[in-house]
Amino acid sequence: MKIKKNDILTIDKYIYEALYNNKTGYYMKKNPFGIKGDFITAPNISILFSEMIAIWIISFWQNLKSPKEFNLIELGSGNGEMIDQIIKTFENFPLFEKCCKINILEKSPYLKKIQKNKLKNKNIKWLNNLNQVSNLPSIFIANEFFDALPFKQFIKKNKKWYERNVKFYNLNKPKLLDILYDISKVEKKIGFKISYKQKFIEYSPSAIEYLNIISQKINLNTGGILIIDYGYWDTLMKNTIKSIYNHKHVDLLNNFGKADITYNINFKIIQKILKNFNLKINGKTNQKKFLLNLGILKRAEIISKKLPFSKKADIYFRIKRLIDKDSMGELFKVLLATDKNTKFKTGFVN
Ligand SMILES: C[S@@+](CC[C@H](N)C(=O)[O-])C[C@H]1O[C@@H](n2cnc3c(N)ncnc32)[C@H](O)[C@@H]1O
């Protein structure tokens, strides 16, 4: 879409254009990961993160009675770092490796190219959409996927609901504009009273669409979805939109297409949506507990035994970033939803 003077975009359309416009979108032209990028994700901090996920996936498969054919679908692979390390770990488990079909759903052609380059010679299917997922027992893995999807915002003022929009009064200086909105339209779409006791609503229509298809696939074929994301469990929703450039928070309206736009996932809402789609919540915890339960420290001890002090220190420094309370440990939440018959608690109980 070409934005013209005085155009009004709902916030989710604004985010879509800022991040995913074919030509100018942030994710369509840039590799944002790492020190030189704008932000860093867990797989890019330590390979141990991806190793833990790989071992968790193998246990999940074993719990499903080791089906001969099994789908792993990564949602939004970024620079491909996580799936690369996951595949390397799978190589130590040949029986599983033979059964596992790896799929990636990636929107950005630019990042897809980076992924294909990094993962050449690997047997991976890049999906155009989730309907292409073959009907097999499946695990969907979403690390920082849902926080990258466009979302809507609604604000309650004087007992009335307004939708947040952006108006391009001037092409370089857009401003927020709240427009009166009938909130029951949203509630009809998502199937529950999201506005109950709320003063602010943030929700992503495209997240709901993805969760709907994923739930159908899981219910049909058995399996689950593991969601790891920046988020919170509070019942009350809040305005968490943020724009990030060069590892710093920047003005949302002054960095269109230049900066990432993201938000904190309200896991209560995600849980409600998954339950409405007939999935069972098998586990919820935070990243710290999840990684500790999976034995990240034990693994670090084993691999660092013969290493010089500086390398050992680096491994532990990176783990600290993943599990520290003030770093990612408690800010990131982990949720597992499965079909109703699957019982699997690995990583969620200590
Ligand atoms: C914040 S990054 C996370 C990347 C990776 N999972 C990681 O942890 O490093 C979000 C990823 O999701 C991709 N993405 C966003 N919307 C998407 C969509 N609708 N379908 C597929 N991929 C999408 C982005 O292009 C990007 O690769």
Side-chain angles (χ1 to χ4, degrees):
M1 164 183 187
K2 187 149 176 56
I3 296 169
K4 300 181 297 302
K5 193 169 161 28
N6 287 325
D7 272 353
I8 299 175
L9 271 61
T10 53
I11 275 281
D12 57 328
K13 292 232 172 67
Y14 176 81
I15 297 170
Y16 186 87
E17 288 302 320
L19 302 185
Y20 303 112
N21 177 291
N22 275 343
K23 287 200 184 108
T24 55
Y26 175 81
Y27 278 104
M28 309 306 248
K29 57 173 200 263
K30 163 165 194 175
N31 182 354
F33 308 94
I35 298 167
K36 287 190 193 140
D38 295 320
F39 56 85
I40 191 155
T41 59
N44 291 289
I45 292 176
S46 166
I47 60 167
L48 293 192
F49 178 85
S50 310
E51 280 190 6
M52 292 301 111
I53 302 291
I55 299 298
W56 183 91
I57 292 167
I58 297 170
S59 320
F60 188 82
W61 167 77
Q62 282 171 335
N63 186 68
L64 291 179
K65 311 241 167 1
S66 311
K68 288 218 160 46
E69 289 187 302
F70 174 74
N71 271 327
L72 161 61
I73 305 105
E74 193 191 6
L75 304 172
S77 288
N79 61 359
E81 179 59 25
M82 182 162 94
I83 200 72
D84 190 28
Q85 294 303 335
I86 284 180
I87 293 171
K88 284 184 182 140
T89 310
F90 287 170
E91 284 164 6
N92 299 315
F93 300 86
L95 196 66
F96 171 76
E97 202 190 7
K98 249 188 13 217
C99 303
C100 184
K101 300 190 179 312
I102 298 171
N103 305 262
I104 289 179
L105 181 77
E106 174 54 59
K107 184 169 183 68
S108 157
Y110 182 85
L111 291 176
K112 218 183 259 184
K113 214 163 154 192
I114 292 178
Q115 294 161 13
K116 288 192 171 167
N117 201 24
K118 189 173 204 152
L119 301 161
K120 41 177 182 272
N121 310 325
K122 303 269 160 74
N123 195 1
I124 297 175
K125 181 174 168 190
W126 272 267
L127 307 165
N128 294 324
N129 60 65
L130 289 179
N131 293 320
Q132 293 181 338
V133 173
S134 52
N135 284 327
L136 297 172
S138 300
I139 185 72
F140 294 80
I141 305 284
N143 187 58
E144 291 208 46
F145 170 70
F146 286 101
D147 73 356
L149 298 180
F151 55 93
K152 285 184 172 290
Q153 290 191 317
F154 300 94
I155 309 101
K156 197 174 188 183
K157 294 188 253 189
N158 297 325
K159 298 191 180 151
K160 289 197 173 114
W161 281 100
Y162 293 78
E163 175 161 24
R164 184 141 286 175
N165 291 263
V166 175
K167 181 162 182 182
F168 286 81
Y169 292 98
N170 176 322
L171 280 182
N172 298 321
K173 274 226 159 81
K175 285 201 172 135
L176 295 178
L177 176 71
D178 296 338
I179 299 177
L180 205 61
Y181 191 84
D182 175 6
I183 204 72
S184 69
K185 284 201 269 184
V186 172
E187 297 181 330
K188 248 182 228 145
K189 215 176 248 171
I190 61 174
F192 61 91
K193 223 170 156 13
I194 195 171
S195 68
Y196 184 64
K197 288 195 175 163
Q198 302 289 351
K199 290 198 173 104
F200 198 93
I201 295 173
E202 266 178 350
Y203 97 98
S204 163
S206 60
I208 294 181
E209 278 166 35
Y210 281 120
L211 291 174
N212 191 3
I213 304 176
I214 290 167
S215 305
Q216 286 175 30
K217 287 279 174 191
I218 292 173
N219 281 325
L220 187 66
N221 304 305
T222 71
I225 174 166
L226 182 74
I227 302 176
I228 307 171
D229 226 314
Y230 205 80
Y232 62 108
W233 276 104
D234 312 5
T235 306
L236 263 194
M237 272 192 264
K238 46 196 176 203
N239 184 355
T240 66
I241 194 165
K242 51 189 175 268
S243 189
I244 295 180
Y245 178 74
N246 198 10
H247 299 266
K248 291 194 186 77
H249 286 238
V250 292
D251 190 303
L252 169 72
L253 301 170
N254 275 340
N255 294 280
F256 187 71
K258 274 193 287 182
D260 187 24
I261 302 175
T262 178
Y263 74 129
N264 300 358
I265 302 296
N266 184 303
F267 276 84
K268 266 245 164 87
I269 297 293
I270 295 287
Q271 169 176 293
K272 221 168 183 170
I273 290 164
L274 288 165
K275 280 186 181 165
N276 270 2
F277 290 146
N278 286 323
L279 291 190
K280 178 172 84 173
I281 307 302
N282 251 294
K284 34 189 188 178
T285 187
N286 61 37
Q287 181 166 296
K288 174 183 179 177
K289 288 187 185 153
F290 187 68
L291 294 175
L292 290 179
N293 288 340
L294 292 177
I296 197 166
L297 290 178
K298 192 86 206 136
R299 176 76 182 135
E301 201 182 306
I302 293 167
I303 60 169
S304 61
K305 231 174 212 155
K306 290 188 183 136
L307 293 179
F309 177 75
S310 62
K311 289 236 164 85
K312 203 183 254 185
D314 183 57
I315 288 174
Y316 282 96
F317 172 72
R318 287 167 185 272
I319 291 182
K320 199 167 143 48
R321 287 185 68 184
L322 295 179
I323 65 174
D324 245 25
K325 179 172 175 289
D326 299 323
S327 188
M328 297 174 90
E330 292 186 6
L331 298 172
F332 276 73
K333 310 292 188 282
V334 186
L335 182 147
L336 169 66
T338 67
D339 62 274
K340 293 244 162 79
N341 297 322
T342 296
K343 290 192 186 93
F344 186 71
K345 291 273 174 214
T346 301
F348 295 93
V349 282
N350 38 17

